[in-house]
Amino acid sequence: MWWQSLTKPEQFGFLKNQVQPLHITTPDGEVLFAWHVVPIAKYIANEEYLIREQNISATNFTESKGFDSLSKDPRSCLVINFHGNAGTVAQGWRTDAYRSLSSAASHKIHVLAIDYRGFGLSTGTPSEQGLITDGIAAVQWAMDVAKIPPERIALVGQSLGTAVAAAVAEHFVRVSKVEFAGVVLVAAFSDMPTLLLTYAIKGLIPILSPLRPYPRLQRFFSGFLRDTWDTSSRIASLVRNSQKVNLHLIHSKDDFEISWKHSEALFYAAANATSTVGLTIKQMEAVKLRQDLNEGGSFETWNADGMKRITKQIVRYGGRFNARYDFNAFLIGETGHNRITTYPCIARTVQHIFEPLQSRLAMG
């Protein structure tokens, strides 16, 4: 909301100094505004110090107790969150999503949420390469400044953020062989040209789908796209170059902005990339593991090469509540596309990602 300040996270319902703003400088000189969210049990353990802390701002965050709780604890895990295509780190359901994620294992899972260039209080102008650079900068900050190794980092993206998260993960595994604990893509899309053929704003206002009977016109308008966000190709490259990819796709069936069929296509692209000769859909269907969750939807798993794991969860309900016919639901984004980020299926997935690491630490 316009009367709330991103530099005062308590206005969004957080405890005093539970969320602390920080700045991250990109290689091309932009300054990104970000939030660090301290997990609730860690906050309680340090509450006395956090409440008393004064004069901590985005420019000196590394001097804070919150930063120490992240960087000096060998059991700390970090979710780097990439949000959707509008607003700020505090928009809509995003603050509830951070609360959910940081409560999954409330003593160890921290959240770093960034605003891309041109969003919120960050400098610059958005572009595909620019947003990818921002994501890379956030990861480098986590590894180089906070000293969190990649095996204690999970990338989580929603909507546009899934394209950023996939591109960042692909960059690190291809360029430097760095692999993260997991990558979670919520309400993903395969690529921008394909998305525009089906996308409807708030599930109501179509973009190019009325031109579906006229493929030449579709190709004409798609040709003006500057940013293509080819997540399908990037996911395939991520899987091929990875030794132990841990990729999770989550989508709601009542998402009327981005169809769950996009996650279906991405699951196929990822699984297909585990084979050197290619797989047909029929071959995939015969090998993949599927669990019917009834009202909870379905869960599918693809395991390959002993270390590569790809999952797809399609939940039946992501927060629609008859949004197509309810104007209030329309205004707050109750279309199954945004509120799903606050649901237990996301926090559960993140906690499972970090469980093997925590088990190893407990043993040794």
Side-chain angles (χ1 to χ4, degrees):
M1 296 295 182
W2 62 267
W3 62 85
Q4 293 175 304
S5 171
L6 295 177
T7 62
K8 299 176 181 177
E10 292 83 1
Q11 294 181 359
F12 300 89
F14 293 101
L15 298 168
K16 179 175 173 57
N17 289 333
Q18 182 191 4
V19 175
Q20 295 176 320
L22 65 140
H23 287 155
I24 297 172
T25 302
T26 68
D28 56 349
E30 302 299 348
V31 178
L32 307 180
F33 182 83
W35 274 0
H36 166 239
V37 184
V38 178
I40 190 65
K42 181 70 70 175
Y43 179 89
I44 292 169
N46 295 278
E47 187 168 14
E48 179 183 353
Y49 303 100
L50 286 164
I51 288 176
R52 290 206 310 259
E53 204 161 46
Q54 302 290 331
N55 303 318
I56 296 297
S57 67
T59 57
N60 64 349
F61 165 70
T62 55
E63 300 172 13
S64 70
K65 186 66 177 178
F67 177 76
D68 286 348
S69 74
L70 169 67
S71 64
K72 294 183 178 180
D73 183 352
R75 296 178 185 270
S76 289
C77 296
L78 180 64
V79 169
I80 302 181
N81 187 86
F82 302 105
H83 66 63
N85 68 342
T88 71
V89 288
Q91 187 84 3
W93 296 105
R94 290 169 191 164
T95 53
D96 286 346
Y98 310 149
R99 277 184 272 270
S100 176
L101 288 169
S102 62
S103 299
S106 62
H107 60 292
K108 63 174 181 280
I109 299 180
H110 298 246
V111 176
L112 175 67
I114 70 165
D115 267 338
Y116 315 116
R117 62 186 63 202
F119 286 66
L121 300 179
S122 297
T123 65
T125 302
S127 68
E128 179 172 356
Q129 189 52 55
L131 267 62
I132 294 170
T133 300
D134 296 344
I136 292 169
V139 171
Q140 288 292 168
W141 180 91
M143 294 192 299
D144 298 343
V145 178
K147 304 299 182 185
I148 306 297
E151 60 268 23
R152 288 199 270 137
I153 295 173
L155 308 184
V156 176
Q158 187 262 343
S159 194
L160 173 64
T162 63
V164 179
V168 170
E170 190 271 342
H171 165 86
F172 275 97
V173 76
R174 176 175 48 82
V175 173
S176 52
K177 302 300 180 185
V178 168
E179 304 211 37
F180 303 104
V183 179
V184 184
L185 308 182
V186 185
F189 57 94
S190 53
D191 59 78
M192 188 61 73
T194 302
L195 173 63
L196 289 181
L197 298 181
T198 58
Y199 182 76
I201 300 171
K202 300 285 188 179
L204 293 171
I205 306 169
I207 304 297
L208 291 182
S209 56
L211 299 179
R212 196 172 298 163
Y214 310 100
R216 287 187 179 179
L217 279 176
Q218 285 185 331
R219 288 194 295 271
F220 173 77
F221 284 107
S222 295
F224 288 99
L225 285 175
R226 182 180 64 174
D227 299 332
T228 58
W229 289 110
D230 190 355
T231 298
S232 184
S233 295
R234 285 176 173 139
I235 278 183
S237 175
L238 167 64
V239 173
R240 279 194 299 268
N241 286 286
S242 171
Q243 297 297 312
K244 52 180 182 179
V245 68
N246 190 10
L247 174 65
H248 304 271
L249 298 157
I250 303 173
H251 218 126
S252 75
K253 213 159 190 176
D254 62 357
D255 186 334
F256 290 106
E257 294 190 44
I258 299 178
S259 168
W260 63 277
K261 293 290 187 180
H262 282 271
S263 286
E264 189 106 302
L266 290 172
F267 182 75
Y268 174 75
N272 197 43
T274 64
S275 170
T276 56
V277 296
L279 298 165
T280 66
I281 292 178
K282 185 176 181 180
Q283 288 172 321
M284 269 190 56
E285 292 293 329
V287 176
K288 71 180 181 182
L289 304 175
R290 177 183 170 86
Q291 184 178 13
D292 188 349
L293 304 175
N294 299 317
E295 287 295 290
S298 64
F299 191 90
E300 297 180 0
T301 305
W302 183 267
N303 296 310
D305 302 331
M307 295 289 287
K308 297 182 179 183
R309 186 167 188 260
I310 302 155
T311 73
K312 177 188 59 155
Q313 183 173 3
I314 304 298
V315 300
R316 292 191 64 180
Y317 311 103
R320 176 188 174 200
F321 299 113
N322 207 22
R324 282 190 165 183
Y325 311 103
D326 184 336
F327 186 68
N328 289 328
F330 170 83
L331 289 177
I332 64 174
E334 286 283 16
T335 61
H337 184 64
N338 294 313
R339 194 179 184 188
I340 186 177
T341 58
T342 70
Y343 282 16
C345 57
I346 314 298
R348 165 191 166 277
T349 299
V350 168
Q351 184 163 357
H352 282 331
I353 283 172
F354 290 129
E355 275 176 354
L357 169 68
Q358 296 301 317
S359 297
R360 290 197 300 274
L361 290 171
M363 293 174 61

